[in-house]
Amino acid sequence: MTHSVDAGAYRGLVPYNALDVDEIVGLTGEDAARICIAARRVAGEPADATGLAEHAVGLVTSFPPGLVRALHRYAGRGSVHDTLLVRGLLDGLPGLPPSPGTTTPAALGPAVDVAALALLAVLSLLGEPFTYASLYEGRLVQHVTPVAGREEVQTSEGSDAVLAWHVEDGHREDRCDFFGLLCLRGAPGAATLVAAARSLDLPPRVERVLREPRFVVEPDVAHGSGPAHGLPRVAVLSGPAGDPEICFDAVYQRPADPGDVDAAAALQVLAEAVEDAAVAHVLGPGELLIVDNRRVVHGRTVFRPCYDGADRWLLRTMVCASKRAHRRRGASRALR
C-alpha cells in the first residue's frame, strides 16, 4: 500500500498554540551540572541495555526536588496537554560530536553517553525503559536525526515531509505509555506538535464510531515491515469520556472493513479535530519533551537539513508505566 500525507493539512508554526506554563519545569545551571557530573561517573562503563537502565536510575538522587515533584504530578494527573517539558536538563554539554546523519550510529563518545543516561534517568521515574527488537537495532535510546535519501519517509529519519499525526507503535497493544525526546541540537523550523485526546471537540456520533473496534493499524516502516494481514480490530478512543485514551495514526490506520464509510468519515473528522487541538514547541538544546503516548498524538513540521554535522538531533526513549505489565513481557528491554 502506498502511503501519502497532505502537507497542506499542516498549517505551519504560527497558528498553533504553545504549551501551558504549568506543564513546563525549569532546571538551573547548577541542577544540570550536578546531573551531568553524576552521569559522567558511570558514562562509558560497559553495560547491556539492562545495565544502562540501572546506571541511569542511580542519577535520580542528583535530581532537584522540583523535578521529582513535577514528574510525580505528571505521572498521576497528567497536564493540560498531557505533555511535560523539562528545560535545562543539559547545560551546554561540551564535546558533543557532529550530528550522526544516521539513526543507528556507532559509539559517539562520553557527551552522548551522558545525555542518554540523563534521559533514561528522568523517564525511569515514569516507568521501565524498553524498546522493540525490530526498531533501530533494538536500541534502548534511539537517535532522531535526518538521514540523507530518507527525507520523505514517515519515520524519525524524515525531514522534507510533515511527520503525520500518530501515537508511537499504534499497531501494538504493548506500545509505550510515555516517551521522551531530548534535544541535543535543534532546528528552527522543526516544531514538534502534540494534541491531547481530552482536548478534542468531536460530534457525539463521530465519537461513538471511534469508540468501536472498527479500525486496524499497520506496522510502520521503521519496524522494517510491510502491510500485515490478520491485524486486530481496535477502537481509536477508549476510557472515560473526560479523559480518554487514543490510538490514532493518520498514515497507517484505516477502517477494518474497506466499505465502512462511517468509520472512514470518522477518521477524517478526527484528523481535523486533532489539528484544531494541536500545540507546537520547537525543541532547543538541553530540553526534554515528555509525552503520554496513550493520551496524546504527535507529529512534526517540515524542516530543511544541511547534512553538515549541525542538523537537528534528538535522543528518544520509551517506558512502560506498569512494572507488572513489564514483568509479564519478560522484563525485556527489547520486545519481540
Side-chain angles (χ1 to χ4, degrees):
M1 178 180 294
T2 300
H3 298 293
S4 62
V5 176
D6 178 8
Y10 283 68
R11 301 170 296 185
L13 177 58
V14 175
Y16 289 112
N17 292 322
L19 294 170
D20 191 83
V21 66
D22 291 334
E23 52 195 351
I24 301 173
V25 56
L27 275 61
T28 66
E30 184 178 324
D31 293 332
R34 188 167 52 250
I35 294 169
C36 285
I37 289 170
R40 288 193 191 102
R41 292 194 185 111
V42 295
E45 291 186 9
D48 59 11
T50 296
L52 184 64
E54 291 176 355
H55 284 329
V57 169
L59 307 187
V60 172
T61 58
S62 65
F63 287 1
L67 175 59
V68 177
R69 287 194 297 268
L71 289 165
H72 178 77
R73 183 169 57 249
Y74 173 66
R77 301 203 304 267
S79 66
V80 174
H81 302 104
D82 288 320
T83 303
L84 182 68
L85 178 66
V86 180
R87 282 188 165 143
L89 180 62
L90 302 177
D91 187 16
L93 199 62
L96 191 67
S99 301
T102 173
T103 52
T104 54
L108 293 168
V112 180
D113 292 343
V114 165
L117 285 163
L119 171 60
L120 284 168
V122 174
L123 269 291
S124 72
L125 289 180
L126 299 175
E128 288 288 338
F130 80 100
T131 187
Y132 302 101
S134 59
L135 188 63
Y136 301 125
E137 301 179 344
R139 298 181 183 214
L140 195 60
V141 176
Q142 299 140 23
H143 297 267
V144 177
T145 192
V147 176
R150 304 282 288 168
E151 289 85 357
E152 298 290 336
V153 300
Q154 283 293 306
T155 73
S156 58
E157 300 169 322
S159 53
D160 287 0
V162 295
L163 186 60
W165 293 110
H166 65 289
V167 300
E168 294 293 342
D169 307 302
H171 66 288
R172 297 190 63 139
E173 175 55 34
D174 60 2
R175 61 189 175 275
C176 68
D177 297 307
F178 300 97
F179 68 90
L181 296 171
L182 175 59
C183 182
L184 303 185
R185 287 196 178 96
T192 299
L193 308 174
V194 295
R198 69 168 88 198
S199 301
L200 299 177
D201 184 11
L202 295 167
R205 57 179 178 77
V206 171
E207 183 169 348
R208 282 195 297 271
V209 173
L210 294 172
R211 285 181 171 274
E212 296 172 355
R214 297 164 66 168
F215 308 89
V216 294
V217 184
E218 297 174 8
D220 67 71
V221 295
H223 288 269
S225 303
H229 301 286
L231 297 168
R233 290 174 173 253
V234 297
V236 176
L237 298 176
S238 59
D243 188 16
E245 295 188 357
I246 187 166
C247 179
F248 176 54
D249 192 305
V251 174
Y252 292 100
Q253 191 168 44
R254 55 179 170 80
D257 178 357
D260 190 343
V261 294
D262 288 341
L267 287 177
Q268 181 60 44
V269 173
L270 174 63
E272 295 169 0
V274 166
E275 188 72 7
D276 290 339
V279 299
H281 181 74
V282 177
L283 281 161
E287 290 188 333
L288 167 59
L289 187 69
I290 303 172
V291 178
D292 186 327
N293 194 49
R294 299 285 176 164
R295 299 194 288 184
V296 174
V297 293
H298 66 284
R300 191 215 62 239
T301 58
V302 169
F303 67 103
R304 297 287 184 252
C306 296
Y307 306 118
D308 58 356
D311 283 326
R312 183 176 187 257
W313 183 12
L314 315 179
L315 300 182
R316 176 180 59 197
T317 201
M318 308 182 292
V319 298
C320 170
S322 168
K323 293 185 183 295
R324 183 182 185 187
H326 187 66
R327 288 196 304 272
R328 287 181 171 179
R329 299 172 188 172
S332 175
R333 296 297 179 188
L335 301 182
R336 296 188 180 276

